[in-house]
Amino acid sequence: MALLARNKVYERGLTWIKPSFLWMMYRCGWGAKEGQETVLAVEIRRDGFEWALRHAILSSYVRGVHPDRATWQRQLKRSPARVQWDPERNLRLQPLPYRSLQLGLSGEAVRRYADEWTVAIRDVTPLAREIQALVHSGDLDSAARALPQERAYPMEDELLDHLRG
């Protein structure tokens, strides 16, 4: 499941896929930030997600991963996808000591995402608001049980080797 906050204009014309529910809640303020009042769960095909990862570059220059800054900048301009690693979030939307992948799509990747990869779209705004209410009332156990099930994404290490910073 990928998550999108509807009506948000992302930097540089990118469409960002956020595979983590709680990271998306942090980003869109539980669906309350202006222009992000609707949260959609978008189910995409595995081969499409992996195509994007294979064609992605890190959104920031990392010494030792990229030959030099100029090469990274050229690759970034040509790449249809980019990856950034942001701190995962807990139920109170505080950062955790590990990171979640965020996948930005542009150009060809956006076209493929819309035309080929998308399998289903669900409005999860009511779920976001329900969980937020449980968190605000202090019922973290019920909030945790209401979260969408997320599990580690199984893949070959080589698919992410060029995206680890």
Side-chain angles (χ1 to χ4, degrees):
M1 171 176 62
L3 296 163
L4 298 172
R6 189 175 76 179
N7 297 330
K8 175 66 179 163
V9 178
Y10 293 101
E11 67 172 295
R12 297 183 204 98
L14 295 174
T15 296
W16 285 92
I17 295 173
K18 319 259 188 215
S20 161
F21 183 84
L22 288 174
W23 202 96
M24 187 67 229
M25 296 306 98
Y26 165 74
R27 181 69 175 89
C28 72
W30 296 100
K33 287 186 180 177
E34 183 178 343
Q36 299 183 60
E37 293 90 354
T38 302
V39 183
L40 302 175
V42 181
E43 183 181 341
I44 64 174
R45 293 175 26 173
R46 181 182 181 100
D47 63 327
F49 186 70
E50 291 181 0
W51 181 95
L53 290 176
R54 276 192 300 282
H55 291 85
I57 186 167
L58 288 172
S59 61
S60 301
Y61 170 74
V62 177
R63 183 176 298 182
V65 173
H66 306 105
D68 54 63
R69 187 175 295 275
T71 301
W72 166 76
Q73 287 174 328
R74 283 192 304 277
Q75 291 172 340
L76 188 63
K77 286 178 185 174
R78 290 191 314 262
S79 176
R82 63 192 63 180
V83 164
Q84 63 188 44
W85 297 93
D86 294 314
E88 182 55 83
R89 301 292 165 156
N90 65 19
L91 279 166
R92 297 197 186 275
L93 306 183
Q94 298 302 311
L96 292 169
Y98 55 92
R99 295 183 175 268
S100 289
L101 179 138
Q102 316 301 321
L103 181 61
L105 306 177
S106 66
E108 179 184 2
V110 171
R111 183 195 59 75
R112 288 175 178 245
Y113 175 69
D115 296 340
E116 301 170 16
W117 304 342
T118 300
V119 174
I121 300 174
R122 290 186 331 271
D123 183 350
V124 294
T125 308
L127 177 62
R129 299 218 170 105
E130 173 192 339
I131 295 171
Q132 178 190 31
L134 290 168
V135 170
H136 285 342
S137 73
D139 190 354
L140 297 183
D141 289 337
S142 294
R145 285 191 300 274
L147 287 171
Q149 182 181 0
E150 296 177 345
R151 57 189 187 277
Y153 187 84
M155 69 175 68
E156 305 287 326
D157 281 342
E158 307 85 58
L159 193 57
L160 289 178
D161 283 347
H162 69 291
L163 300 171
R164 297 193 179 164

